Amino acid sequence: MTYNKLNTLFGLACGLVATLVYIATVEKTVSWWDCGEFIACAYKLEVAHQPGAPLFLLIQNVFANLALGNTGQIAYWMNIGSAVCSGLTVTFLFWTITAIAKKILKKPQQPTFSYYLQLFTAGAVGAMAFSFSDTFWYSAVESEVYAMSSLCTAVVFWAIFKWEARADQGGSDRWLIFIAFVMGLSIGVHLLNLLAIPAIGMVVYFKRTSHINLKGILTAFLLGLLVLAGILWGVIQWLVGFASKIDLLFVNSLGLGFGSGILFLCVLVGAALVYGLFYSHRNRKYTLNTALLMFCFILFGYSSYTMVLIRGKANPSLNNNSPDNVFSFLGYLGREQYTREPLVKGPYFDSKAVDIESKTGYRKDESNYTSFTQVDKYEFDRETFFPRIYSQDANHQAYYRSYLKLKEGERPQFSDNFKFFFHFQLGEMYARYFLWNFVGRQNDKQGYGTYSEGNWISGMKTLDNWRLGGQDKLPDSQKNDPSRNTYFFLPLLLGIAGAVWLYKKSKPNTLVLTLLFVFTGVAIVVYLNQTPLQPRERDYAYAGSFYAFAIWIGLGAIALVRFFKRFFHSRYALATGLSFALLGGPIILVHQNWDDHNRSEKSLARDIARNYLETCAPNAILFTYGDHDTFPLWYLQEVEGVRPDVRIVVLSYLTGDWYMQQAKKPTYQAAGLPIVIPAEKTKKGIRDYIPFIDRELNEAVDVQQLLQFVTSDNPDYKVQLNSGNLENYFPSKKVKLTIDKDEILKKKAVPAYFQHAIVPTMEWEIPGDHLTRADLTLLSLLENNHWDRPIYFSNMLPSDIKLGLDKYLVNEGFASRLMPVASTNEQQAAGEIAALVNVEALYDNIMRKYNWGNIKDATYLDTDSFRFSSMYARDIFGKTARLLLENGKVKQAGEVARKAYDQLPNRVYAMSDAINYADVIDSLYRSGQSQLAGDVVDRNLNYVAQNMEYLHQLVLDKKYLSFEWNDIQTALDSVDRYQTILLAANDGKRLERLEGLRKQYQKWYGIE
């Protein structure tokens, strides 16, 4: 069998093995974060969040059809779509490694078994090591763009070596055109693939040049950067920007229809390209002809974005940014709803804004495009080159000061940017992720700079103790944590060995791989310019860098064989070297990573989304905020058709004019929001920002009057701002809504449980200093709903976004219902004023409606799942049981507590679990279920005792601790709370143990 056939066969075999592993560990339903939105949008070809991924959605739609109409299986098949893409990535990685190794290894006149074995084992070691690496495996089993994006990178990097091997043959440059086409297609998946361009350019240079020198290398590198910038900004952004200006001319100046200018430009560009191809072919300008063909194929690939325009025009239920014209499409591509991170020049975190730079924007109106002025950026009193510590967020500012050890009032200096860049952005947000994949991972808890969460770890006790401390007192919860993975540096050393061997054998190929490694790693760090306290770990962004390192890991197998040949006979060196490579690469990775990457038992995201929807009464309006309380809900409604009567409205999106208008429209069985503010009064550029100017009014302003005031075009109702423009303002933060109790009772807008607390007037205070479209939407809804439809707010909403309505929100489980009721004196005394609770609804939801995603029996829970399960123990089960006890309903409290015992995890995941389970434990004791209560107490106290020993060891080993003190304080609070519970329950045995712990902690920390 020839080399090519063997290479193809073994590459496909590696990909098949990886795919089967991914299918065995794939999530059976929707996952957290963006997956719910992507699945919903792929299923019905809707418009996902900016800047979109149309090709990804189109391909995933094909996999959705494999469910054969079973909507409950669609998420599973889309997850398998990612698994297949990931398996193909492994195949192309195998072929890339063997192509590089084949170039370096001297081919004998008669290829031997040893020669083939080294090549194919190198390919298998590198490809399978990458397939089982932490970051790549995580993305491989969920419907996210990163698996397909990795496939695009793998294909183009493989293709450039196919071109290199055939570059001296006629027609070889078709491979370059193929690469351009794949890169154009990849724009419709994710932009990470474009970062391979500098490395690809270097391969072309080394193959085409007859004399390699520094000047040529730098020239090729700069040309690669120019091509990258040309696609990233020129093709993706500026081409559409130019189209918008042409269309503006045709519509506003020439009076033609919308899109006429775009059509003209398409014809013009098409004609120019056809002429250019004809001219270059006729005059034998080969390079120009190839470049034009590559540009054409990039545009062909990029044309997947026409799906966004077509579906945006159709206005589906999920239509982010409503890109139905060239200007909204340009805003969609430019991610205008997201903040822009400064890259070259920007403020320090303590800089003060001194001016605003404006720019002219355009929106589509009835017959033309209308201009308006919008904020472009702020100018600050202090700005710096290469800003890294720029965020004005108060939490970020506190973190910067702590991280850089700046005293209060001490101003950051230019050098602090580089300190933060090297130590945090490169160290915490890249090097830590890199070492997770090739050295080991402490656990999958998100790291915020503590010694106990999210660090890289090797498994070598002495080294790990020197770095992190506390290794002599590791609790069982850490020792037995499935996400604790230790590789003892073996994959890293193998990769380093491969890199050194390649450097000795081929410096040009070393430079190519180094460029790929750096541009998909360090360059992304520079470009993203991430702030601290990210909502989740961001390792997925650097999978391309880990892909490049996996090539070195594969070559490390050959390096080991060469090393052992110094000491052993060739046959023994071959067997020893390849065996060590297999053990130190894919085998140790799959052994360590299987348990915490097997997501086949998970279903919590889907069940929690269902719980949100089932909390709502029929025909409700549900306001959500972030990813976790929105995207899985979209999935359930759009795909599985659950509770189509509930109108889901994302409150944070309502600041956009497009979403405010979408919210007025019905979806499925849910009517639109009864908002009567005319669209012309809240268009883009109109009432984007309504400031507060205190007119010292004595009484609260009626909602209707306030709306009339802030939406009036009468100049008397406006104020002149610093810009000189007349703008609306609101004169009082105190607002009221008159309540008709008879109407409330007739419409059953308040359950019997709260009818005694109905107020004649709702009065509240707007917390912010300005009103947004979201606030106007809420005010208009309050004015016009007349309590016809129940209004709910997700309990994950931050307080400052609820317009100050918190005191009228009644907790019914996963969401709180807006009701015109006031808390009683007893509730105010108990601290319940900010969170009224409908205990009857909560009890019914817990006992009859809610599901808990198999978290009781799952062998592994990811970070989001166990964090939420702990919160639910406190806010759902615990709160309900406590309130039932206070109302004298001991039996029902016991039922709720028993439900918690039966449904929530057996193991403790975090110190917060100890305090969060307190009400459940107390209810178990008080309802006569002492044995179950004792089991939970024993479990939690074991965790507290072991982890407090560990934390105390950290105090001794490390001088500076940060967030660990939060865990220590939580443990101390838990001990106090348990003492009260055990005293009331007269559990002497456990109380005695608790007193012993308390004495120990008093000795350590001086507590009373």
Side-chain angles (χ1 to χ4, degrees):
M1 193 176 289
T2 65
Y3 166 82
N4 286 337
K5 289 183 178 179
L6 286 172
N7 189 47
T8 300
L9 181 64
F10 286 128
L12 290 173
C14 285
L16 179 62
V17 169
T19 302
L20 292 175
V21 168
Y22 298 147
I23 291 175
T25 58
V26 78
E27 195 148 351
K28 294 294 193 296
T29 183
V30 68
S31 305
W32 298 111
W33 299 105
D34 296 346
C35 298
E37 182 196 20
F38 280 134
I39 294 170
C41 290
Y43 177 54
K44 294 187 175 177
L45 295 182
E46 298 174 300
V47 182
H49 67 272
Q50 305 170 353
L55 181 64
F56 169 78
L57 300 181
L58 289 166
I59 293 174
Q60 287 294 72
N61 181 267
V62 174
F63 281 94
N65 291 318
L66 298 177
L68 302 177
N70 184 348
T71 56
Q73 290 290 306
I74 285 173
Y76 172 65
W77 280 103
M78 288 195 189
N79 290 341
I80 286 181
S82 288
V84 171
C85 288
S86 299
L88 288 172
T89 302
V90 172
T91 292
F92 282 103
L93 175 56
F94 177 95
W95 291 336
T96 300
I97 294 171
T98 55
I100 295 174
K102 187 170 177 284
K103 283 199 308 178
I104 308 304
L105 281 179
K106 292 181 180 179
K107 183 179 179 181
Q109 291 184 345
Q110 282 293 335
T112 62
F113 173 77
S114 170
Y115 173 76
Y116 281 151
L117 185 62
Q118 289 182 72
L119 286 180
F120 298 138
T121 303
V125 166
M128 300 313 291
F130 182 65
S131 69
F132 300 135
S133 62
D134 180 79
T135 296
F136 186 68
W137 195 343
Y138 185 89
S139 296
V141 293
E142 64 179 15
S143 185
E144 252 278 21
V145 297
Y146 299 104
M148 198 175 293
S149 175
S150 294
L151 174 59
C152 293
T153 301
V155 170
V156 298
F157 206 62
W158 162 80
I160 193 59
F161 289 108
K162 297 290 284 186
W163 169 85
E164 185 188 38
R166 295 159 176 77
D168 298 328
Q169 303 172 11
S172 61
D173 283 357
R174 68 186 64 182
W175 285 99
L176 298 179
I177 296 169
F178 170 74
I179 290 172
F181 182 49
V182 174
M183 286 195 161
L185 289 172
S186 75
I187 297 171
V189 180
H190 200 282
L191 300 181
L192 288 174
N193 174 60
L194 300 178
L195 296 172
I197 290 175
I200 289 172
M202 205 58 66
V203 174
V204 174
Y205 166 73
F206 287 133
K207 185 64 179 179
R208 290 297 193 200
T209 188
S210 57
H211 178 65
I212 299 173
N213 56 49
L214 181 60
K215 180 181 178 181
I217 291 173
L218 291 175
T219 301
F221 174 68
L222 292 174
L223 283 174
L225 289 181
L226 186 63
V227 172
L228 171 60
I231 298 175
L232 192 60
W233 286 289
V235 173
I236 298 175
Q237 296 274 346
W238 296 341
L239 186 62
V240 179
F242 184 62
S244 69
K245 296 184 184 302
I246 297 294
D247 206 46
L248 177 67
L249 172 68
F250 274 59
V251 174
N252 284 19
S253 300
L254 303 181
L256 299 177
F258 293 110
S260 56
I262 300 173
L263 180 62
F264 172 78
L265 181 63
C266 289
V267 172
L268 185 65
V269 171
L273 287 172
V274 170
Y275 175 77
L277 290 171
F278 176 76
Y279 169 81
S280 59
H281 177 73
R282 185 181 61 185
N283 293 279
R284 300 184 181 278
K285 296 184 179 294
Y286 185 80
T287 302
L288 176 61
N289 186 265
T290 303
L292 287 173
L293 280 171
M294 292 175 69
F295 181 67
C296 286
F297 275 87
I298 289 173
L299 292 181
F300 289 157
Y302 185 36
S303 66
S304 66
Y305 264 93
T306 56
M307 174 255 187
V308 172
L309 284 167
I310 292 169
R311 296 300 292 155
K313 188 72 174 177
N315 196 22
S317 55
L318 301 182
N319 189 15
N320 199 296
N321 211 59
S322 194
D324 60 352
N325 65 84
V326 68
F327 283 103
S328 59
F329 181 59
L330 183 62
Y332 183 81
L333 290 174
R335 295 169 57 91
E336 67 177 7
Q337 77 180 54
Y338 300 103
T339 57
R340 290 180 296 177
E341 295 79 13
L343 295 179
V344 179
K345 181 183 177 183
Y348 293 99
F349 65 83
D350 65 344
S351 299
K352 306 298 181 185
V354 294
D355 199 4
I356 296 176
E357 288 189 18
S358 300
K359 67 177 181 179
T360 300
Y362 292 89
R363 64 172 182 268
K364 178 185 175 185
D365 281 338
E366 291 297 324
S367 60
N368 62 0
Y369 293 115
T370 302
S371 65
F372 61 91
T373 302
Q374 62 184 22
V375 175
D376 183 29
K377 62 180 180 178
Y378 292 93
E379 290 187 2
F380 295 87
D381 58 349
R382 292 182 72 223
E383 293 190 336
T384 177
F385 168 72
F386 196 64
R388 300 287 112 178
I389 46 174
Y390 59 89
S391 175
Q392 306 289 299
D393 182 271
N395 291 327
H396 294 164
Q397 291 177 335
Y399 192 95
Y400 289 141
R401 289 198 176 279
S402 173
Y403 197 89
L404 297 169
K405 296 180 174 55
L406 297 175
K407 298 176 182 178
E408 194 62 38
E410 184 179 357
R411 310 204 75 177
Q413 302 301 314
F414 176 70
S415 59
D416 291 321
N417 282 308
F418 288 91
K419 289 179 185 177
F420 191 76
F421 172 70
F422 285 109
H423 293 151
F424 180 83
Q425 292 183 332
L426 269 183
E428 297 287 326
M429 300 302 286
Y430 175 71
R432 180 169 62 100
Y433 297 150
F434 174 79
L435 295 171
W436 276 2
N437 284 270
F438 304 114
V439 175
R441 185 173 183 177
Q442 183 182 30
N443 50 52
D444 64 355
K445 295 180 181 178
Q446 185 165 354
Y448 293 109
T450 67
Y451 293 103
S452 57
E453 296 177 336
N455 296 287
W456 69 269
I457 199 167
S458 67
M460 298 177 178
K461 187 174 180 180
T462 302
L463 174 63
D464 295 335
N465 196 63
W466 171 72
R467 287 187 57 251
L468 302 174
Q471 300 302 300
D472 293 324
K473 296 290 186 180
L474 273 186
D476 291 339
S477 58
Q478 285 204 34
K479 292 177 184 177
N480 302 323
D481 189 341
S483 63
R484 181 182 175 87
N485 301 319
T486 53
Y487 318 136
F488 305 99
F489 284 95
L490 296 179
L492 177 67
L493 293 174
L494 192 58
I496 292 173
V500 171
W501 179 77
L502 182 64
Y503 178 77
K504 290 180 178 178
K505 296 294 183 179
S506 175
K507 291 179 176 59
N509 280 288
T510 300
L511 180 58
V512 169
L513 273 184
T514 302
L515 278 178
L516 181 66
F517 179 73
V518 170
F519 267 83
T520 53
V522 176
I524 296 178
V525 174
V526 174
Y527 180 76
L528 292 179
N529 196 6
Q530 288 172 332
T531 56
L533 304 176
Q534 290 286 309
R536 60 167 166 162
E537 299 285 17
R538 302 298 190 181
D539 56 300
Y540 55 81
Y542 308 107
S545 180
F546 309 150
Y547 176 93
F549 192 79
I551 297 175
W552 280 318
I553 288 179
L555 298 178
I558 300 176
L560 285 184
V561 171
R562 292 294 187 268
F563 175 76
F564 283 114
K565 275 187 176 180
R566 300 178 182 178
F567 309 101
F568 305 120
H569 185 272
S570 294
R571 181 181 302 174
Y572 299 115
L574 185 68
T576 305
L578 297 184
S579 296
F580 272 115
L582 286 167
L583 288 170
I587 291 178
I588 194 172
L589 287 169
V590 71
H591 169 70
Q592 288 288 309
N593 290 349
W594 180 284
D595 51 1
D596 59 308
H597 288 78
N598 181 6
R599 294 157 70 172
S600 60
E601 298 176 315
K602 283 182 55 185
S603 62
L604 186 64
R606 180 191 61 190
D607 284 357
I608 294 306
R610 188 183 294 271
N611 293 348
Y612 271 104
L613 292 174
E614 293 297 348
T615 301
C616 299
N619 302 312
I621 298 167
L622 173 61
F623 288 105
T624 63
Y625 179 72
D627 296 354
H628 288 339
D629 66 347
T630 301
F631 295 158
L633 276 67
W634 281 354
Y635 158 77
L636 271 186
Q637 275 200 340
E638 298 288 324
V639 179
E640 296 194 19
V642 176
R643 292 298 305 273
D645 62 301
V646 177
R647 187 63 164 89
I648 300 170
V649 182
V650 188
L651 201 51
S652 54
Y653 285 11
L654 275 173
T655 54
D657 64 311
W658 56 272
Y659 194 68
M660 186 178 182
Q661 300 313 312
Q662 288 179 15
K664 298 179 182 180
K665 298 176 181 178
T667 56
Y668 308 111
Q669 298 175 18
L673 271 60
I675 305 169
V676 297
I677 302 174
E680 303 81 51
K681 291 183 178 292
T682 56
K683 287 182 178 179
K684 194 172 185 180
I686 300 175
R687 295 181 178 88
D688 292 331
Y689 177 96
I690 301 175
F692 167 66
I693 297 178
D694 191 0
R695 296 305 190 192
E696 298 181 355
L697 302 181
N698 295 326
E699 295 184 357
V701 179
D702 184 78
V703 167
Q704 185 179 22
Q705 292 178 323
L706 181 63
L707 274 175
Q708 290 174 349
F709 187 86
V710 298
T711 59
S712 173
D713 294 322
N714 189 332
D716 294 337
Y717 293 170
K718 297 184 179 183
V719 67
Q720 189 173 29
L721 301 181
N722 293 334
S723 62
N725 296 329
L726 285 176
E727 299 289 349
N728 289 101
Y729 69 98
F730 69 107
S732 174
K733 291 189 176 185
K734 295 179 180 178
V735 188
K736 67 180 179 180
L737 180 68
T738 303
I739 303 300
D740 184 341
K741 185 173 182 178
D742 292 335
E743 181 184 33
I744 296 294
L745 295 176
K746 181 180 178 181
K747 294 179 177 179
K748 299 180 180 179
V750 173
Y753 184 80
F754 277 105
Q755 287 179 1
H756 68 281
I758 296 175
V759 296
T761 303
M762 291 172 60
E763 292 192 17
W764 69 96
E765 187 168 327
I766 297 172
D769 290 326
H770 68 277
L771 295 178
T772 65
R773 291 187 185 89
D775 301 323
L776 295 180
T777 302
L778 284 176
L779 291 170
S780 185
L781 178 61
L782 290 172
E783 178 192 2
N784 299 293
N785 185 49
H786 303 298
W787 306 100
D788 291 328
R789 297 168 65 185
I791 300 172
Y792 286 85
F793 290 80
S794 161
N795 284 340
M796 291 183 69
L797 280 166
S799 294
D800 59 358
I801 202 173
K802 298 175 188 175
L803 199 64
L805 292 166
D806 303 67
K807 65 179 180 178
Y808 296 110
L809 295 181
V810 180
N811 190 342
E812 294 187 357
F814 281 81
S816 294
R817 184 172 176 175
L818 183 67
M819 295 185 194
V821 297
S823 55
T824 64
N825 293 333
E826 292 78 9
Q827 288 169 325
Q828 292 181 30
E832 295 289 346
I833 185 170
L836 297 171
V837 180
N838 186 342
V839 184
E840 292 180 351
L842 257 174
Y843 174 80
D844 184 65
N845 288 335
I846 290 171
M847 301 306 297
R848 297 179 178 86
K849 294 181 180 179
Y850 288 167
N851 293 303
W852 302 97
N854 193 39
I855 56 177
K856 176 76 170 181
D857 301 318
T859 54
Y860 166 72
L861 290 182
D862 61 277
T863 305
D864 294 301
S865 296
F866 72 65
R867 183 174 70 233
F868 284 128
S869 70
S870 177
M871 185 173 66
Y872 302 146
R874 178 193 67 208
D875 293 338
I876 305 294
F877 292 104
K879 175 178 283 188
T880 307
R882 173 167 54 84
L883 292 173
L884 286 168
L885 285 176
E886 291 175 0
N887 292 340
K889 298 180 180 180
V890 177
K891 180 182 177 182
Q892 289 180 313
E895 291 171 351
V896 170
R898 177 59 189 259
K899 190 83 170 180
Y901 182 87
D902 291 338
Q903 296 294 327
L904 295 179
N906 283 322
R907 59 168 287 197
V908 181
Y909 286 87
M911 195 68 82
S912 58
D913 287 0
I915 193 72
N916 287 343
Y917 275 82
D919 285 328
V920 171
I921 294 168
D922 190 33
S923 300
L924 286 171
Y925 272 122
R926 291 176 184 271
S927 61
Q929 302 176 83
S930 299
Q931 183 175 348
L932 300 184
D935 290 344
V936 181
V937 170
D938 291 340
R939 180 194 72 187
N940 291 1
L941 285 184
N942 287 340
Y943 182 92
V944 169
Q946 291 188 14
N947 278 270
M948 282 292 272
E949 281 198 57
Y950 166 68
L951 291 169
H952 181 63
Q953 189 64 45
L954 287 184
V955 173
L956 299 177
D957 291 345
K958 298 294 178 181
K959 185 176 181 180
Y960 300 105
L961 299 185
S962 55
F963 290 103
E964 286 96 347
W965 288 109
N966 294 337
D967 276 352
I968 291 172
Q969 186 58 56
T970 299
L972 298 176
D973 293 341
S974 301
V975 168
D976 291 339
R977 181 79 172 93
Y978 280 28
Q979 184 181 42
T980 303
I981 294 171
L982 294 175
L983 279 170
N986 198 27
D987 191 336
K989 179 181 177 182
R990 292 182 175 87
L991 189 59
E992 182 180 351
R993 182 190 181 190
L994 192 72
E995 288 296 334
L997 293 176
R998 203 172 190 285
K999 289 179 181 178
Q1000 182 67 66
Y1001 304 151
Q1002 185 175 16
K1003 178 181 176 183
W1004 286 348
Y1005 303 112
I1007 63 171
E1008 293 299 328

